[in-house]
Protein backbone atom coordinates (compact mmCIF):
# COMPACT_ATOMS: atom_id res chain seq x y z
CA UNK A 1 0.00 0.00 0.00
CA UNK A 2 1.45 3.37 -1.02
CA UNK A 3 1.34 5.99 1.72
CA UNK A 4 0.02 9.37 0.53
CA UNK A 5 0.42 12.02 3.23
CA UNK A 6 -0.44 14.89 0.84
CA UNK A 7 -2.78 14.96 -2.18
CA UNK A 8 -2.97 18.11 -4.31
CA UNK A 9 -6.31 18.49 -6.12
CA UNK A 10 -5.80 21.81 -7.88
CA UNK A 11 -8.22 23.82 -5.76
CA UNK A 12 -7.59 22.08 -2.43
CA UNK A 13 -4.98 20.15 -0.46
CA UNK A 14 -5.92 16.86 1.16
CA UNK A 15 -3.82 15.86 4.16
CA UNK A 16 -3.79 12.42 5.71
CA UNK A 17 -4.82 13.06 9.32
CA UNK A 18 -1.99 11.39 11.19
CA UNK A 19 -3.65 11.96 14.56
CA UNK A 20 -6.03 9.07 13.85
CA UNK A 21 -3.53 6.53 12.57
CA UNK A 22 -3.37 3.59 12.80
CA UNK A 23 -7.06 3.26 13.72
CA UNK A 24 -8.56 5.28 10.87
CA UNK A 25 -7.42 6.59 7.50
CA UNK A 26 -8.98 10.04 7.20
CA UNK A 27 -8.10 13.04 5.05
CA UNK A 28 -8.51 16.69 6.05
CA UNK A 29 -9.37 19.08 3.22
CA UNK A 30 -7.60 22.44 3.25
CA UNK A 31 -8.84 25.29 1.05
CA UNK A 32 -6.71 28.16 2.38
CA UNK A 33 -3.34 28.89 3.94
CA UNK A 34 -5.11 29.30 7.29
CA UNK A 35 -6.48 25.75 6.98
CA UNK A 36 -3.00 24.41 6.22
CA UNK A 37 -1.45 26.37 9.12
CA UNK A 38 -4.02 24.90 11.51
CA UNK A 39 -3.32 21.40 10.17
CA UNK A 40 0.42 21.87 10.71
CA UNK A 41 -0.02 23.29 14.21
CA UNK A 42 -2.45 20.53 15.24
CA UNK A 43 -0.17 17.82 13.77
CA UNK A 44 -2.59 16.61 11.12
CA UNK A 45 0.58 16.73 9.03
CA UNK A 46 4.02 16.50 10.66
CA UNK A 47 7.60 15.81 9.75
CA UNK A 48 9.81 18.67 8.59
CA UNK A 49 9.83 17.87 4.82
CA UNK A 50 6.07 17.21 4.72
CA UNK A 51 5.41 20.46 6.58
CA UNK A 52 7.44 22.34 3.96
CA UNK A 53 5.48 20.73 1.12
CA UNK A 54 2.14 21.43 2.78
CA UNK A 55 3.08 25.06 3.41
CA UNK A 56 3.98 25.54 -0.25
CA UNK A 57 0.55 24.37 -1.35
CA UNK A 58 -0.99 26.53 1.39
CA UNK A 59 0.55 29.57 -0.27
CA UNK A 60 -1.00 28.52 -3.58
CA UNK A 61 -4.45 28.21 -1.99
CA UNK A 62 -4.28 31.81 -0.76
CA UNK A 63 -2.71 33.20 -3.96
CA UNK A 64 0.49 34.19 -2.19
CA UNK A 65 -1.12 36.79 0.05
CA UNK A 66 1.06 38.35 2.79
CA UNK A 67 -1.35 36.93 5.36
CA UNK A 68 -0.78 33.41 4.06
CA UNK A 69 2.98 33.61 4.60
CA UNK A 70 2.50 35.03 8.08
CA UNK A 71 -0.01 32.37 9.17
CA UNK A 72 2.12 29.50 7.87
CA UNK A 73 5.36 30.84 9.36
CA UNK A 74 3.80 30.83 12.82
CA UNK A 75 2.55 27.24 12.66
CA UNK A 76 5.70 25.34 13.80
CA UNK A 77 8.96 27.05 14.86
CA UNK A 78 11.55 24.26 14.71
CA UNK A 79 11.02 22.66 11.29
CA UNK A 80 13.22 24.81 9.05
CA UNK A 81 11.86 23.16 5.90
CA UNK A 82 8.75 25.26 6.49
CA UNK A 83 10.65 28.53 6.21
CA UNK A 84 12.78 27.21 3.35
CA UNK A 85 9.64 26.41 1.36
CA UNK A 86 8.06 29.78 2.12
CA UNK A 87 11.16 31.60 0.89
CA UNK A 88 11.10 29.61 -2.33
CA UNK A 89 7.44 30.45 -2.83
CA UNK A 90 8.14 34.17 -2.36
CA UNK A 91 10.56 34.04 -5.30
CA UNK A 92 8.31 31.92 -7.52
CA UNK A 93 6.87 33.20 -10.79
CA UNK A 94 4.18 30.53 -10.83
CA UNK A 95 3.05 29.45 -7.35
CA UNK A 96 1.47 26.13 -8.27
CA UNK A 97 4.39 25.09 -10.46
CA UNK A 98 6.82 25.91 -7.65
CA UNK A 99 4.83 24.03 -5.02
CA UNK A 100 4.71 20.96 -7.26
CA UNK A 101 8.46 21.27 -7.80
CA UNK A 102 9.13 21.40 -4.05
CA UNK A 103 7.05 18.25 -3.62
CA UNK A 104 8.73 16.41 -6.51
CA UNK A 105 12.23 17.43 -5.44
CA UNK A 106 11.65 16.22 -1.88
CA UNK A 107 10.49 12.85 -3.17
CA UNK A 108 13.52 12.58 -5.46
CA UNK A 109 15.86 13.61 -2.64
CA UNK A 110 14.42 10.97 -0.32
CA UNK A 111 14.91 8.24 -2.90
CA UNK A 112 18.47 9.39 -3.54
CA UNK A 113 19.23 9.47 0.19
CA UNK A 114 17.70 6.04 0.54
CA UNK A 115 19.94 4.58 -2.13
CA UNK A 116 23.06 6.18 -0.69
CA UNK A 117 22.19 5.34 2.89
CA UNK A 118 21.37 1.73 2.07
CA UNK A 119 25.04 1.23 1.19
CA UNK A 120 25.92 1.95 4.83
CA UNK A 121 23.73 -0.78 6.30
CA UNK A 122 25.22 -4.25 6.73
CA UNK A 123 23.18 -7.21 5.58
CA UNK A 124 20.67 -8.28 8.23
CA UNK A 125 21.15 -5.06 10.22
CA UNK A 126 18.81 -4.38 13.13
CA UNK A 127 18.16 -0.67 12.74
CA UNK A 128 16.80 1.43 15.59
CA UNK A 129 14.90 4.56 14.66
CA UNK A 130 13.02 7.29 16.51
CA UNK A 131 9.82 9.20 15.80
CA UNK A 132 8.49 8.79 12.25
CA UNK A 133 10.76 9.52 9.29
CA UNK A 134 8.95 7.62 6.58
CA UNK A 135 6.61 8.58 3.76
CA UNK A 136 4.24 10.15 6.29
CA UNK A 137 6.88 12.72 7.25
CA UNK A 138 7.87 13.66 3.69
CA UNK A 139 6.57 13.90 0.14
CA UNK A 140 7.13 10.14 0.03
CA UNK A 141 9.61 7.31 0.71
CA UNK A 142 11.07 9.01 3.80
CA UNK A 143 14.44 10.07 5.20
CA UNK A 144 15.73 7.68 7.89
CA UNK A 145 12.96 5.16 7.24
CA UNK A 146 13.55 5.72 3.53
CA UNK A 147 17.07 4.36 3.99
CA UNK A 148 15.58 1.23 5.50
CA UNK A 149 13.07 0.95 2.65
CA UNK A 150 15.89 1.16 0.14
CA UNK A 151 17.86 -1.55 1.98
CA UNK A 152 15.07 -4.14 2.08
CA UNK A 153 17.04 -6.47 -0.19
CA UNK A 154 19.59 -6.71 2.63
CA UNK A 155 16.98 -8.23 4.97
CA UNK A 156 17.22 -5.40 7.47
CA UNK A 157 14.71 -5.00 10.27
CA UNK A 158 13.42 -2.04 12.28
CA UNK A 159 13.42 -1.41 16.01
CA UNK A 160 10.94 1.43 16.44
CA UNK A 161 11.03 3.52 19.61
CA UNK A 162 7.46 4.45 20.55
CA UNK A 163 8.43 8.15 20.82
CA UNK A 164 6.62 9.67 23.75
CA UNK A 165 4.58 11.71 24.20
CA UNK A 166 2.82 11.70 20.81
CA UNK A 167 3.71 8.11 19.92
CA UNK A 168 4.82 8.74 16.35
CA UNK A 169 6.96 5.61 16.45
CA UNK A 170 4.22 3.37 17.83
CA UNK A 171 1.42 4.78 15.70
CA UNK A 172 3.11 5.85 12.48
CA UNK A 173 6.47 4.12 11.95
CA UNK A 174 5.06 0.76 13.03
CA UNK A 175 2.03 1.32 10.77
CA UNK A 176 4.19 2.13 7.73
CA UNK A 177 6.35 -0.94 8.33
CA UNK A 178 3.33 -3.22 8.70
CA UNK A 179 1.76 -1.78 5.53
CA UNK A 180 4.88 -2.57 3.52
CA UNK A 181 5.90 -5.82 5.16
CA UNK A 182 9.10 -4.46 6.70
CA UNK A 183 10.01 -6.48 9.83
CA UNK A 184 9.46 -4.18 12.80
CA UNK A 185 9.72 -4.53 16.57
CA UNK A 186 8.14 -1.83 18.72
CA UNK A 187 9.75 -0.86 22.04
CA UNK A 188 9.18 1.80 24.67
CA UNK A 189 11.72 4.62 24.64
CA UNK A 190 13.19 3.46 27.94
CA UNK A 191 14.07 0.03 26.50
CA UNK A 192 16.62 1.34 23.98
CA UNK A 193 19.63 1.17 26.28
CA UNK A 194 18.74 -2.34 27.41
CA UNK A 195 18.65 -3.65 23.84
CA UNK A 196 21.90 -1.89 22.99
CA UNK A 197 23.61 -3.39 26.04
CA UNK A 198 22.59 -6.88 24.90
CA UNK A 199 24.01 -6.40 21.41
CA UNK A 200 20.58 -6.35 19.75
CA UNK A 201 21.03 -3.06 17.85
CA UNK A 202 23.45 -2.69 14.92
CA UNK A 203 22.72 0.86 13.67
CA UNK A 204 20.69 3.90 14.76
CA UNK A 205 19.25 6.21 12.07
CA UNK A 206 17.16 9.29 12.81
CA UNK A 207 15.85 12.27 10.87
CA UNK A 208 16.19 15.97 11.69
CA UNK A 209 13.99 19.02 12.19
CA UNK A 210 16.83 21.48 11.64
CA UNK A 211 20.60 21.33 11.15
CA UNK A 212 22.66 24.40 12.06
CA UNK A 213 25.52 25.77 9.96
CA UNK A 214 28.11 23.87 12.03
CA UNK A 215 26.30 20.53 11.79
CA UNK A 216 24.45 20.61 15.12
CA UNK A 217 21.14 18.76 14.78
CA UNK A 218 17.72 19.35 16.31
CA UNK A 219 15.37 16.39 16.21
CA UNK A 220 12.45 14.85 18.08
CA UNK A 221 12.79 14.80 21.85
CA UNK A 222 14.50 11.57 22.89
CA UNK A 223 17.08 11.65 20.09
CA UNK A 224 19.77 13.03 22.41
CA UNK A 225 19.38 10.06 24.74
CA UNK A 226 19.75 7.63 21.84
CA UNK A 227 22.91 9.40 20.65
CA UNK A 228 24.52 9.15 24.08
CA UNK A 229 23.52 5.49 24.45
CA UNK A 230 24.78 4.66 20.96
CA UNK A 231 28.14 6.23 21.75
CA UNK A 232 28.36 4.31 25.02
CA UNK A 233 27.84 1.04 23.13
CA UNK A 234 29.89 1.97 20.02
CA UNK A 235 26.91 1.72 17.68
CA UNK A 236 26.95 3.78 14.45
CA UNK A 237 24.53 6.73 14.70
CA UNK A 238 23.39 8.43 11.50
CA UNK A 239 21.21 11.43 10.68
CA UNK A 240 19.36 11.39 7.35
CA UNK A 241 18.05 14.74 6.11
CA UNK A 242 17.70 16.70 2.85
CA UNK A 243 19.45 20.02 2.26
CA UNK A 244 16.19 21.84 2.97
CA UNK A 245 16.71 20.88 6.64
CA UNK A 246 20.01 22.81 6.84
CA UNK A 247 19.75 26.33 8.23
CA UNK A 248 22.94 28.23 7.49
CA UNK A 249 21.56 31.36 9.22
CA UNK A 250 21.91 29.64 12.60
CA UNK A 251 25.54 29.12 13.69
CA UNK A 252 24.99 26.27 16.15
CA UNK A 253 22.41 24.18 17.95
CA UNK A 254 22.05 26.54 20.91
CA UNK A 255 20.26 29.00 18.58
CA UNK A 256 17.70 26.54 17.25
CA UNK A 257 14.24 27.37 18.64
CA UNK A 258 12.72 24.46 20.54
CA UNK A 259 8.94 24.27 20.44
CA UNK A 260 7.12 23.71 23.73
CA UNK A 261 4.00 21.67 22.98
CA UNK A 262 0.72 21.61 24.97
CA UNK A 263 0.74 19.91 28.36
CA UNK A 264 -2.15 17.61 27.52
CA UNK A 265 0.11 15.64 25.16
CA UNK A 266 2.01 14.45 28.24
CA UNK A 267 -0.81 14.11 30.77
CA UNK A 268 -2.85 11.79 28.54
CA UNK A 269 -3.70 10.75 25.01
CA UNK A 270 -6.84 11.68 23.10
CA UNK A 271 -9.72 11.40 25.59
CA UNK A 272 -7.75 9.47 28.23
CA UNK A 273 -5.98 11.31 31.04
CA UNK A 274 -3.56 9.48 33.35
CA UNK A 275 -1.79 12.33 35.19
CA UNK A 276 -3.36 14.16 38.16
CA UNK A 277 -4.85 17.61 37.68
CA UNK A 278 -2.49 20.38 38.80
CA UNK A 279 0.81 18.64 38.02
CA UNK A 280 3.40 20.77 36.23
CA UNK A 281 4.40 19.60 32.76
CA UNK A 282 7.35 20.15 30.40
CA UNK A 283 6.86 19.16 26.78
CA UNK A 284 9.73 20.28 24.52
CA UNK A 285 9.09 18.80 21.08
CA UNK A 286 12.73 18.61 20.00
CA UNK A 287 16.24 18.39 21.38
CA UNK A 288 19.59 19.58 20.03
CA UNK A 289 22.63 17.35 19.49
CA UNK A 290 26.06 18.98 19.45
CA UNK A 291 28.70 16.88 17.71
CA UNK A 292 32.32 17.24 18.66
CA UNK A 293 34.41 19.75 16.74
CA UNK A 294 35.91 16.94 14.67
CA UNK A 295 32.49 16.06 13.31
CA UNK A 296 31.39 19.63 12.69
CA UNK A 297 33.89 20.14 9.88
CA UNK A 298 32.56 16.99 8.23
CA UNK A 299 28.99 18.27 8.42
CA UNK A 300 30.07 21.50 6.72
CA UNK A 301 31.58 19.49 3.87
CA UNK A 302 28.43 17.43 3.61
CA UNK A 303 26.24 20.43 2.91
CA UNK A 304 28.50 22.32 0.55
CA UNK A 305 30.86 20.29 -1.58
CA UNK A 306 29.34 17.23 -3.13
CA UNK A 307 28.30 17.10 -6.79
CA UNK A 308 25.94 14.14 -6.33
CA UNK A 309 22.14 14.25 -5.79
CA UNK A 310 21.66 17.84 -4.78
CA UNK A 311 19.42 17.24 -1.78
CA UNK A 312 21.28 14.16 -0.61
CA UNK A 313 24.70 15.54 0.19
CA UNK A 314 24.46 14.64 3.84
CA UNK A 315 25.05 11.07 2.72
CA UNK A 316 27.76 11.61 0.21
CA UNK A 317 31.03 12.85 1.62
CA UNK A 318 30.99 13.76 5.27
CA UNK A 319 34.40 12.13 5.72
CA UNK A 320 37.01 10.21 3.77
CA UNK A 321 35.80 7.05 5.49
CA UNK A 322 32.93 5.78 3.32
CA UNK A 323 31.31 4.02 6.25
CA UNK A 324 30.77 7.38 7.90
CA UNK A 325 29.54 9.08 4.77
CA UNK A 326 26.03 9.80 6.07
CA UNK A 327 27.03 11.09 9.46
CA UNK A 328 25.99 14.52 10.63
CA UNK A 329 26.20 13.51 14.29
CA UNK A 330 28.24 10.47 15.25
CA UNK A 331 27.73 8.65 18.52
CA UNK A 332 31.32 7.44 18.12
CA UNK A 333 32.77 10.94 18.25
CA UNK A 334 35.53 11.78 20.72
CA UNK A 335 33.27 13.76 23.01
CA UNK A 336 29.83 12.75 24.23
CA UNK A 337 27.23 15.16 22.77
CA UNK A 338 26.06 17.72 25.29
CA UNK A 339 22.92 19.78 25.47
CA UNK A 340 23.33 23.41 24.48
CA UNK A 341 22.98 26.06 27.14
CA UNK A 342 19.66 27.77 26.70
Amino acid sequence: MAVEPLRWRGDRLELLDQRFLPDQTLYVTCRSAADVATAIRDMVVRGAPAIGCAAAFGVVLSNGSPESYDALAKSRPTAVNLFWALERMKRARNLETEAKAIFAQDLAANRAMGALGAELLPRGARVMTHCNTGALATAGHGTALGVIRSARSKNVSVIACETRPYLQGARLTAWECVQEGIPCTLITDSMAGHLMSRGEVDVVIVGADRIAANGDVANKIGTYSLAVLARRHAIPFYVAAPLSTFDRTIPDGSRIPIEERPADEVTGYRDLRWAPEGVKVRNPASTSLLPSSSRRSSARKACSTTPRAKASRLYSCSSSNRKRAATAVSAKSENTPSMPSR
Side-chain angles (χ1 to χ4, degrees):
M1 173 183 174
V3 178
E4 290 186 287
L6 299 90
R7 300 192 302 210
W8 176 243
R9 301 303 193 192
D11 63 344
R12 65 192 185 278
L13 178 66
E14 295 175 349
L15 298 173
L16 179 59
D17 195 336
Q18 300 184 29
R19 299 170 300 180
F20 291 96
L21 290 174
D23 299 329
Q24 302 178 69
T25 303
L26 304 173
Y27 280 84
V28 171
T29 298
C30 300
R31 298 185 181 276
S32 68
D35 289 345
V36 175
T38 298
I40 294 172
R41 184 169 54 252
D42 293 346
M43 295 184 73
V44 172
V45 60
R46 28 71 48 205
I51 287 172
C53 293
F57 286 115
V59 171
V60 179
L61 291 171
S62 292
N63 298 313
S65 68
E67 294 80 12
S68 67
Y69 288 103
D70 185 57
L72 290 162
K74 292 178 179 177
S75 57
R76 295 293 298 274
T78 306
V80 74
N81 306 61
L82 167 65
F83 305 99
W84 171 85
L86 293 178
E87 287 302 314
R88 276 191 60 170
M89 295 301 288
K90 288 177 182 178
R91 300 190 300 269
R93 293 184 178 181
N94 183 297
L95 293 176
E96 184 175 8
T97 298
E98 188 69 11
K100 289 179 177 179
I102 288 172
F103 182 91
Q105 288 165 13
D106 184 67
L107 181 57
N110 293 334
R111 287 174 175 162
M113 277 194 297
L116 291 166
E119 298 176 19
L120 302 171
L121 300 184
R123 183 165 296 278
R126 297 160 296 180
V127 186
M128 181 171 286
T129 190
H130 192 64
C131 196
N132 171 258
T133 57
L136 290 171
T138 65
H141 197 71
T143 55
L145 193 56
V147 171
I148 296 165
R149 273 194 173 92
S150 296
R152 291 183 66 177
S153 63
K154 290 186 171 183
N155 296 319
V156 299
S157 59
V158 175
I159 301 170
C161 297
E162 63 174 351
T163 319
R164 286 280 295 142
Y166 216 64
L167 303 174
Q168 293 98 323
R171 295 187 301 107
L172 306 180
T173 295
W175 181 78
E176 285 198 51
C177 290
V178 169
Q179 295 299 308
E180 299 196 22
I182 299 172
C184 179
T185 300
L186 177 65
I187 64 170
T188 66
D189 296 345
S190 56
M191 295 176 186
H194 173 70
L195 267 62
M196 290 183 189
S197 72
R198 293 171 61 89
E200 296 181 25
V201 179
D202 300 307
V203 179
V204 181
I205 307 179
V206 300
D209 291 324
R210 187 179 301 215
I211 300 174
N214 70 334
D216 292 354
V217 174
N219 192 48
K220 177 58 58 183
I221 196 73
T223 305
Y224 174 81
S225 302
L226 289 183
V228 173
L229 286 167
R231 180 183 184 276
R232 170 65 179 82
H233 296 287
I235 297 171
F237 185 101
Y238 299 120
V239 172
L243 281 185
S244 57
T245 305
F246 283 81
D247 185 355
R248 300 188 190 186
T249 69
I250 291 183
D252 58 61
S254 66
R255 309 290 183 87
I256 297 176
I258 302 299
E259 178 185 12
E260 191 82 19
R261 297 284 302 171
D264 60 10
E265 293 180 357
V266 175
T267 57
Y269 183 68
R270 293 181 181 169
D271 296 327
L272 175 65
R273 183 184 177 93
W274 48 65
E277 295 284 354
V279 67
K280 293 182 178 179
V281 173
R282 287 296 312 279
N283 188 16
S286 302
T287 185
S288 292
L289 309 178
L290 279 71
S292 71
S293 57
S294 64
R295 302 307 301 167
R296 286 174 181 164
S297 60
S298 296
R300 282 198 294 272
K301 289 181 185 177
C303 67
S304 63
T305 64
T306 310
R308 295 185 68 184
K310 186 174 182 181
S312 308
R313 295 177 185 169
L314 186 59
Y315 270 120
S316 52
C317 74
S318 51
S319 81
S320 57
N321 184 341
R322 179 61 181 166
K323 292 183 179 180
R324 295 181 181 175
T327 310
V329 178
S330 174
K332 299 171 76 172
S333 61
E334 296 174 2
N335 300 312
T336 301
S338 58
M339 289 293 288
S341 57
R342 291 182 54 77

